[in-house]
């Protein structure tokens, strides 16, 4: 009995393409040519049980598997891997968080604004500790210090609100980065009134003053006085806060800058 004739290679490729066209694309707008490249990449780089499982999951439309394949492709075909991450991350109805993080890292050296946007979205929606930290790190490089303090502090303190999302070593890295950034800010010359005010509430890793406390109300009264150009009242409120033992070193530094600006405006109004 003669053995069956093998399918010619063009026929095998046609069958594979037909299979891919039938795969549900998870609700995301993943271009079929990108999906086929991922599928061919897995086929070409293995022939074991793990490979067959990946191919099966791809045919079933598993998002995480496609994301992981894109990671594996990154050294060989960076453009396609980034395109796949975009297709998964940019979906309006169900953005893929890990693809957002991957894009943050992919753009971190070439397009910092874009990287920050992806890290911020992943960090806030996850929450995702590494994304929060890297958003803060890049914002610090852009000299957006109030937001940098906010995101690095959020990453450092994630253990309190969402302990299942943290890694202890990364938490320690975040705390050290927060301390380093605080010290760096204290060396900056001529901090403006606006910059000092914007940073104050993020300038304590222990979140001082807590919301709706006496100290929080004093701070808000000072900010309201500044908005109304009542610099005498603002200076009085800064003085009241200045002696509190829970102030961080950076907050004490910022209060001195705020008081100085208030005094300058008081003198200008007297002229």
């Amino acid at each position: 009995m003669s053995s069956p004739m093998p399918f010619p290679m063009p026929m095998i490729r046609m069958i594979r393409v037909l299979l891919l066209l039938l795969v549900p694309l998870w609700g995301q707008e993943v271009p079929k040519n990108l999906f086929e490249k991922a599928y061919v990449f897995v086929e070409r780089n293995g022939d074991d049980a793990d490979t067959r499982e990946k191919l099966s999951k791809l045919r079933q439309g598993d998002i995480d598997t496609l994301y992981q394949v894109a990671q594996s492709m990154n050294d060989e075909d960076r453009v396609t891997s980034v395109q796949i991450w975009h297709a998964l991350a940019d979906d309006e109805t169900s953005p893929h968080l890990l693809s957002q993080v991957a894009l943050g890292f992919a753009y971190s050296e070439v397009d910092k604004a874009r990287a920050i946007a992806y890290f911020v979205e992943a960090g806030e929606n996850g929450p995702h500790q590494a994304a929060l930290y890297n958003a803060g790190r890049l914002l610090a490089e852009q000299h957006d210090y109030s937001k940098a303090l906010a995101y690095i502090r959020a990453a450092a303190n994630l253990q309190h609100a969402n302990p299942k999302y943290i890694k202890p070593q990364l938490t320690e890295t975040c705390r050290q980065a927060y301390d380093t950034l605080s010290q760096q800010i204290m060396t900056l010359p001529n901090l403006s009134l606006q910059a000092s005010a914007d940073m104050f509430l993020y300038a304590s890793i222990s979140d001082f003053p807590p919301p709706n406390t006496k100290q929080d109300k004093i701070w808000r009264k000072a900010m309201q006085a500044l908005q109304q150009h009542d610099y005498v009242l603002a200076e009085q409120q800064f003085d009241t806060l200045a002696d509190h033992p829970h102030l961080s070193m950076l907050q004490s530094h910022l209060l001195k800058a705020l008081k100085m600006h208030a005094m300058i405006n008081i003198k200008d109004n007297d002229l």
Side-chain angles (χ1 to χ4, degrees):
M1 185 176 180
S2 60
S3 59
M5 292 183 64
F7 282 118
M9 287 305 294
M11 180 64 72
I12 293 174
R13 177 171 173 78
M14 184 180 298
I15 291 172
R16 178 173 61 220
V17 171
L18 287 172
L19 282 171
L20 296 178
L21 290 174
L22 294 173
V23 173
L25 294 180
W26 315 283
Q28 270 100 340
E29 295 296 326
V30 180
K32 293 180 178 66
N33 68 308
L34 296 180
F35 183 84
E36 183 181 357
K37 286 181 180 181
Y39 195 95
V40 170
F41 175 84
V42 176
E43 274 190 325
R44 191 176 68 244
N45 286 277
D47 188 25
D48 53 14
D50 182 59
T51 299
R52 290 190 291 274
E53 182 181 6
K54 284 182 181 178
L55 292 173
S56 175
K57 286 184 176 180
L58 286 174
R59 289 193 296 271
Q60 293 168 26
D62 186 82
I63 297 175
D64 291 332
T65 299
L66 182 57
Y67 157 77
Q68 291 163 6
V69 172
Q71 273 192 316
S72 300
M73 296 174 71
N74 196 248
D75 289 336
E76 179 180 317
D77 189 352
R78 181 176 174 82
V79 172
T80 298
S81 68
V82 169
Q83 289 175 334
I84 291 172
W85 288 331
H86 268 296
L88 296 176
D90 296 342
D91 183 74
E92 293 182 0
T93 58
S94 183
H96 187 242
L97 185 141
L98 292 179
S99 294
Q100 292 174 333
V101 176
L103 288 172
F105 285 114
Y107 288 118
S108 61
E109 297 299 327
V110 295
D111 190 342
K112 292 188 189 299
R114 205 171 191 182
I116 289 168
Y118 279 111
F119 280 139
V120 165
E121 190 169 357
E124 293 182 351
N125 293 341
H128 192 282
Q129 189 178 31
L132 290 168
Y133 166 69
N134 281 285
R137 177 179 62 83
L138 292 179
L139 284 161
E141 291 180 11
Q142 302 292 91
H143 308 299
D144 192 341
Y145 295 116
S146 60
K147 290 182 180 178
L149 287 167
Y151 282 108
I152 295 176
R153 186 179 74 174
N157 290 340
L158 192 61
Q159 59 181 333
H160 304 309
N162 292 284
K164 66 179 180 179
Y165 292 107
I166 68 103
K167 294 180 179 179
Q169 186 174 356
L170 181 54
T171 296
E172 182 58 28
T173 297
C174 295
R175 294 185 71 87
Q176 292 175 1
Y178 186 89
D179 288 343
T180 299
L181 179 58
S182 297
Q183 293 170 18
Q184 177 187 344
I185 292 170
M186 286 190 286
T187 67
L188 297 175
N190 305 320
L191 281 174
S192 70
L193 186 152
Q194 186 67 58
S196 300
D198 288 345
M199 283 188 279
F200 182 83
L201 288 178
Y202 304 114
S204 165
I205 201 162
S206 60
D207 196 20
F208 177 84
N212 301 317
T213 59
K214 177 181 177 181
Q215 290 73 33
D216 179 53
K217 292 175 182 177
I218 292 171
W219 169 255
R220 296 190 185 284
K221 188 174 181 179
M223 292 300 97
Q224 185 177 14
L226 287 179
Q227 291 174 352
Q228 296 172 350
H229 306 290
D230 188 345
Y231 298 108
V232 173
L233 178 58
E235 183 190 7
Q236 291 172 350
Q237 302 310 304
F238 295 145
D239 275 337
T240 303
L241 273 177
D243 295 329
H244 199 281
H246 291 164
L247 283 171
S248 70
M249 290 179 63
L250 177 55
Q251 284 180 318
S252 295
H253 180 81
L254 294 173
L255 280 177
K256 290 178 182 177
L258 288 164
K259 183 177 178 179
M260 179 193 70
H261 284 292
M263 292 173 65
I264 290 172
N265 279 283
I266 291 170
K267 289 181 180 178
D268 289 344
N269 290 342
D270 288 342
L271 292 179

